[in-house]
């Protein structure tokens, strides 16, 4: 249990998927102007990541990993090179299903998240989380915690950025630095703050 | 030069390299750009891998463009790109194992790199194979150039090395010079890109 908590804290802060591994930058940079949309997109990412990362774990460990097809009587087959294709297809498929389910059962949530769901398919944070889960050999429970924690970390980063950008409207920024430049520098400073959590062990 | 500079291919290339560089102007592909720039070597390999993937995905998609049904084009594009990325990943694993370990998941993430998808969608779908290939090469090189630029400063100032070889003389360290460890961490990459963009804005404005 303790190691799960520390995995969670680590994936939210020190190993923040956006600020330490640079994943999901594209949508982060284009959406973080507005607090409401940032919150919506952040929630959608957390939601999809919590679902897709464990599903990808199951697919990887029962279909692709070396020896995974033993249950089908084919123990020598190693299909792990197909993981990129399978993961991206899974993400795209699940996003589609999630969109339809939300549309059917919760109109309010659909109105809040609907626009962002298609965007998420190409969010590299989600594919990245699946690939990291394989590379770091997480167990199933760890994968669930890691997927959720990474989503929460991404949500926190984008919401913090949107808030800072709102304050920065009143700042006098040098012309060449306006727009993209200042965003990167603010992100850098934010990344420093997130890294300070690295001293904490549970 | 007169004929050359008017040709379409030349214009496409110069645009991708300078006026609308994919990273610093269009803000595409930042995801992987930052992670691999701790060392010049990994940045260079990543730049080459991405250049080849964009160039060939552009070429293949351009060859197929008249046969791809409009409404499933995204899936076809992803399939082509994913195949090329798997090839690149397996090649690196076979011949450059240590670099492939350092690049870790970021080679695989070329699939979701917006540059590749963006070029396929906006350029290759409506241009001839030759032009598309040149456009892919140019965009890849434009991306690689920024990557190597950032990596150059991060490795030089962060660990005092270039391509893994120490370049800052020992006497500097004895005189009290220190490597700036911050640049090796994630925040260093963000700040470095920010400064790069600033520099480029300033240079372009002068013209």
């Amino acid at each position: 249990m303790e190691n799960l908590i520390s995995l969670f804290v680590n994936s939210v802060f020190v190993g923040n998927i956006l600020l330490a591994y640079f994943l999901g930058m594209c949508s982060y940079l284009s959406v973080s102007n507005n607090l409401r949309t940032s919150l919506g997109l952040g929630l959608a990412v957390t939601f999809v990541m919590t679902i897709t990362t464990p599903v990808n774990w199951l697919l990887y460990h029962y279909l692709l990993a070396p020896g995974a097809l033993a249950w089908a009587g084919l123990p020598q087959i190693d299909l792990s090179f197909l993981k990129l294709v399978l993961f991206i297809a899974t993400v795209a498929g699940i996003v589609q299903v999630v969109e339809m389910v939300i549309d059917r059962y919760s109109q309010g949530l659909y109105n809040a998240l609907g626009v962002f769901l298609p965007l998420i398919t190409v969010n590299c944070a989600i594919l990245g989380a699946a690939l990291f889960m394989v590379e770091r050999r997480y167990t199933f429970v760890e994968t669930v915690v890691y997927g959720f924690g990474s989503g929460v970390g991404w949500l926190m980063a984008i919401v913090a950025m949107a808030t800072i950008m709102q304050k920065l409207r009143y700042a006098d920024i040098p012309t060449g630095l306006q727009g993209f430049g200042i965003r990167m520098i603010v992100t850098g400073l934010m990344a420093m703050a997130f890294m300070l959590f690295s001293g904490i062990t549970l | 030069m007169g004929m050359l500079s008017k040709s379409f291919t030349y214009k496409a290339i110069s645009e991708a390299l300078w006026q609308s560089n994919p990273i610093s102007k269009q803000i595409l592909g930042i995801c992987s750009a930052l992670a691999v720039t701790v060392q010049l070597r990994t940045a260079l390999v990543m730049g080459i891998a991405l250049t080849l993937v964009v160039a060939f995905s552009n070429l293949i998609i351009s060859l197929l463009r008249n046969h791809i049904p409009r409404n499933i084009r995204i899936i076809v594009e992803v399939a082509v790109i994913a195949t090329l990325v798997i090839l690149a990943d397996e090649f690196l694993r076979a011949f450059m194992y240590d670099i492939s370990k350092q690049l870790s998941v970021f080679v695989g993430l070329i699939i979701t790199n917006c540059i590749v998808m963006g070029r396929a969608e906006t350029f290759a779908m409506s241009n001839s194979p030759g032009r598309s290939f040149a456009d892919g090469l140019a965009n890849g090189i434009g991306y690689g150039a920024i990557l190597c630029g950032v990596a150059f400063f991060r490795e030089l100032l962060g660990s005092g090395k270039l391509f893994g070889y120490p370049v800052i003389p020992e006497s500097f360290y004895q005189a009290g010079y220190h490597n700036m460890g911050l640049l090796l961490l994630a925040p260093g990459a963000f700040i470095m890109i920010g400064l790069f963009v600033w520099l480029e804005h300033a240079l372009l404005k002068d013209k």
Side-chain angles (χ1 to χ4, degrees), chain A residues 19 22-23 26 124 135 184 188, chain B residues 31 34 104 109 112 114 186-187 190:
Chain A
L19 296 171
F22 315 105
L23 297 176
C26 303
C124 38
E135 194 180 272
M184 292 315 280
Chain B
C31 316
L34 299 164
S104 90
L109 286 172
T112 50
C114 342
F190 286 115

Side-chain angles (χ1 to χ4, degrees), chain A residues 114-197:
Chain A
V115 210
F116 304 111
L117 285 170
L119 269 179
I120 285 179
T121 314
V122 289
N123 189 320
C124 38
I126 298 189
L127 184 61
L131 293 172
F132 274 129
M133 152 287 267
V134 170
E135 194 180 272
R136 296 179 189 165
R137 297 164 201 274
Y138 286 143
T139 63
F140 183 73
V141 182
E142 282 171 348
T143 304
V144 175
V145 173
Y146 175 71
F148 180 62
S150 299
V152 172
W154 200 88
L155 169 72
M156 280 179 62
I158 193 169
V159 168
M161 182 69 182
T163 324
I164 296 175
M165 287 315 285
Q166 281 190 348
K167 294 283 174 205
L168 271 184
R169 271 183 216 158
Y170 306 106
D172 184 17
I173 301 162
T175 358
L177 209 52
Q178 272 166 16
F180 181 47
I182 192 70
R183 255 159 214 253
M184 292 315 280
I185 289 176
V186 168
T187 312
L189 296 175
M190 233 161 69
M192 263 187 235
F194 272 64
M195 291 201 117
L196 294 182
F197 287 90

